[in-house]
């Protein structure tokens, strides 16, 4: 076995064999010939993939693994790490995409032959696409970034990571690039040899999906598997930012990540795209991604754009950027005399205003830039002088407040700043302020992007045509700059937009009142009939634990992670009766997916709650502190099961009490032994009670909305008191 063989975890073995992780643990204990760990930790060991596949095949336990899963296992367990594996895969996919006959010739024969012939074949593809790799200096670092010629556009990017700025040893010199280097080099034969099995699997997957889609799949899985390493720019937001700048022949993203913004802007084959990122692996992945998706010409470079600008002489038509937020170590000490600060030297706490001025410095006269900004940048006192000068000189044209959930951090309504390099100072400058926070979605489903897009682009295009904008109360207005030049220079749109008109507010409240009336009438219709008295029943009882052991139901517990890209049903969702709204961190743990007819029970909080999963909720992953019961329909009715689990006495006898919380032992919950026909009678009554309960909840939410709207309307003058 090679020392650098691809490794796989216990969860990966379970997926290969189509079993649960407990089965893998049993195999390790029961079979002396089970492969020994080759890495990982004592609690989470890893095994050589080749040895595992051989053992599973010999035991007849190797399931028919989907090709996508097999390739992903090879990539994620690569001995040199998944980023190196993804880069090698991207290079091979580019060769397959551009010169498939060459790949067929190179891949024929042994892995050693593939690794030895592939570098030459890659150079023949990478050089025309990316240009010659610059000569390295004595330290081995190339002198200048490589030019990149890369091919079509694609939509639906998984997002753009945003690493922190990288420290470099010298202050930036705007006459030449400093501390930048080419983002991608041709891998050598020795580097490629461990990747040979992966590249063959990638080629097989490309024959099924296509080279572009294969790279997107692998990149998306990698980003999902490392959510804490990357700050993603959603595809919808990237598309909106590209639409705000409009058609542009030369575009720069100085913090490109994996290229979501540049890919959204690449709509013509005659464009020149310039990318730079402080993380070498992200810049390389951007180059490969764009090469597989666009015919535009691209330059790609590695380095911190503030300290080591790779494009000091560039005058672009457009700049798009999602910079790192709240960076104190952005170069404040060494960049004090940098000529880019023509609107003022940013304070140490104002890194975002440094990125704003960097963008303006790289725009040609009349060029447009769009930056994603934290809302604090619009109002911090330390930045008020720079904001004032941006306004006076007409460089800041619009501030757009996005809905909560538009981009991470998802609990903050971020802003878009639209910049324009002024050709001359406007006589009476105005700035467009837009607030589309009203289009936020429920839970974590994200905003209504269609409504956001229409509102923002309509306002921006109307403002761009006339330089003025008819006021839309509560949504947008163009404000004379002089009105903002006070002691604070606060640019937060919500503080300058008038409330919606009285008619709009009254009409909205009338609609809520009508919906509340309809719901209350439905609630009255659903009110249970008078209860008929009966003697206490003396049923024979069983427990959930006994039913699980007998096969009448399957019991699963919610996890703390998973690899499934689905919505997550949380304990809060179950308690409040709302749609799945949570997320789980990426891990090797197998997520538990719900199915219609399942019964879900929260184990914390001391409440008597059980929820039957319907068609709308089916397919969601099970969150923490939840237990799923999947009854055999031939033995148990789910509504009968859920109804009896909600009994107060039943919950009390199955609960344990700590100093701060009550925990339910679901296995101890009791259920009467009744024939299925009798279960169905009870189940129908429990279903009717559930419908009544949901109607009451909906009426409560509408009532709260009406009361809140009336208070707001009366206090802001949009609703008359009579």
């Amino acid at each position: 076995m090679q020392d650098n063989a691809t490794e796989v975890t216990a969860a990966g073995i379970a997926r290969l064999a189509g079993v649960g992780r407990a089965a893998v643990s049993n195999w390790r204990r029961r079979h002396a010939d089970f492969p020994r760990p080759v890495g990982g930790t004592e609690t989470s060991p890893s095994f050589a993939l080749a040895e595992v596949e051989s053992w599973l095949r010999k035991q007849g336990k190797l399931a028919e693994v989907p090709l996508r899963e097999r390739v992903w296992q090879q990539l994620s367990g690569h001995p040199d790490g998944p980023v190196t594996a993804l880069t090698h895969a991207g290079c091979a996919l580019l060769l397959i995409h551009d010169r498939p006959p060459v790949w067929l010739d190179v891949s024929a024969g042994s892995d050693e032959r593939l690794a030895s012939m592939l570098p030459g074949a890659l150079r023949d593809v990478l050089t025309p696409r990316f240009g010659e790799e610059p000569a390295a200096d004595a330290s081995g670092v190339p002198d200048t970034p490589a030019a990149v010629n890369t091919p079509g556009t694609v939509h639906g990017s998984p997002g753009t990571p945003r690493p922190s700025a990288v420290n470099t040893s010298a202050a930036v010199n705007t006459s030449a690039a400093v501390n930048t280097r080419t983002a991608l080099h041709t891998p050598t034969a020795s580097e490629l040899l461990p990747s040979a099995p992966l590249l063959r699997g990638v080629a097989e997957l490309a024959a099924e999906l296509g080279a572009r889609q294969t790279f997107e799949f692998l990149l998306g899985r990698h980003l999902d598997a490392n959510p804490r390493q990357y700050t993603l720019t959603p595809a919808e937001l990237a598309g909106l930012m590209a639409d705000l700048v409009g058609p542009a022949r030369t575009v720069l993203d100085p913090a490109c990540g994996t290229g979501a913004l540049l890919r959204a802007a690449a709509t013509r084959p005659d464009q020149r795209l310039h990318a730079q990122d402080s993380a070498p692996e992200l810049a390389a992945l951007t180059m490969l991604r764009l090469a597989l998706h666009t015919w535009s010409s691209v330059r790609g470079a590695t380095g911190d754009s503030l300290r080591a600008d790779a494009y000091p002489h560039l005058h672009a038509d457009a700049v798009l950027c999602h910079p790192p937020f709240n960076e104190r170590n952005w170069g404040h000490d060494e960049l004090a005399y940098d000529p880019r600060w023509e609107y003022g030297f940013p304070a140490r706490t104002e890194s975002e205003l440094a990125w704003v001025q960097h963008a303006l410095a790289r725009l040609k006269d009349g060029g447009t830039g769009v930056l994603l900004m934290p809302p604090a940048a619009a109002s911090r006192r330390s930045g008020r002088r720079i904001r004032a000068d941006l306004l006076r000189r007409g460089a800041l044209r619009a501030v757009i407040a996005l809905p909560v959930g538009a981009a991470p951090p998802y609990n903050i309504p971020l802003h878009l700043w639209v910049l324009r390099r002024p050709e001359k100072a406007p006589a009476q400058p105005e700035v467009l302020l837009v607030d589309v926070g009203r289009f936020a979605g429920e839970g974590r489903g994200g905003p209504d992007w269609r409504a956001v897009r229409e509102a923002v682009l309509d306002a921006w295009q109307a403002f761009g045509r006339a330089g003025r904008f008819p006021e839309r109360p509560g949504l947008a207005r163009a404000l004379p700059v002089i009105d903002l030049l006070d002691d604070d220079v606060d640019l937060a749109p919500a503080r300058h937009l008038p409330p919606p008109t009285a008619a709009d507010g009254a009409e909205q409240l009338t609609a809520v009142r009508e919906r509340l009336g309809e719901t209350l009438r439905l609630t009255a219709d659903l009110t249970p009939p008078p209860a008929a008295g009966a003697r206490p029943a003396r049923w024979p009882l069983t427990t959930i634990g006994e039913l699980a052991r007998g096969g009448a139901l399957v019991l699963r517990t919610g996890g703390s992670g998973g690899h499934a890209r689905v919505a997550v049903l949380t304990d809060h969702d179950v308690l409040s009766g709302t749609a799945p709204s949570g997320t789980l961190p990426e891990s090797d743990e197998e997520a538990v997916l719900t199915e219609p007819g399942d019964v879900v029970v929260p184990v914390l909080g001391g409440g008597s709650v059980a929820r039957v999963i319907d068609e709308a909720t089916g397919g969601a992953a099970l969150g923490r502190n939840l237990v799923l019961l999947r009854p055999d329909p031939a033995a148990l009715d789910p509504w009968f099961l859920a109804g009896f689990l909600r009994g107060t006495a039943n919950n009390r006898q199955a609960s344990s009490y700590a100093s701060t919380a009550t925990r339910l032992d679901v296995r101890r919950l009791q259920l009467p032994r009744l024939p299925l026909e009798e279960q169905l009678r009870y189940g129908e009554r429990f279903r009717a009670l559930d419908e009544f309960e949901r109607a009451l909840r909906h009426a409560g939410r509408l009532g709260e909305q009406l009361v809140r709207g009336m208070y707001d309307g009366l206090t802001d003058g949009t609703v008359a008191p009579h």
Side-chain angles (χ1 to χ4, degrees), residues 460-479:
W460 172 245
Q461 290 165 2
F463 178 71
R465 286 191 298 267
R468 298 179 179 275
F469 182 74
E471 183 178 293
R472 297 181 186 174
L475 182 64
R477 72 183 296 195
L479 200 64

Side-chain angles (χ1 to χ4, degrees), residues 593-671:
L593 302 183
T594 61
E595 296 178 3
D598 290 344
V599 177
V600 177
V601 182
V603 297
L604 293 181
S608 302
V609 178
R611 176 171 175 177
V612 178
I613 301 299
D614 56 16
E615 293 289 342
T617 310
L622 194 67
R624 299 178 184 178
N625 302 320
L626 291 175
V627 171
L628 178 145
L629 305 175
R630 183 164 295 159
D632 179 353
L636 281 174
D637 175 64
W639 287 102
F640 165 80
L641 173 63
F644 273 93
L645 295 187
R646 293 192 60 172
T648 301
N650 200 3
N651 274 260
R652 187 182 301 118
Q653 64 84 27
S655 296
S656 59
Y657 304 93
S659 57
T660 59
T662 302
R663 185 171 187 88
L664 181 68
D665 184 352
V666 175
R667 292 179 177 274
R668 291 170 53 190
L669 287 169
Q670 296 178 336
L671 206 65

Side-chain angles (χ1 to χ4, degrees), residues 556-559 561-562 564 566 584 589-594 598 619-623 628 630:
R556 303 286 301 275
T557 57
V566 295
L584 287 177
E589 183 178 344
E590 198 72 45
V592 178
L593 302 183
T594 61
D598 290 344
L622 194 67
L628 178 145
R630 183 164 295 159

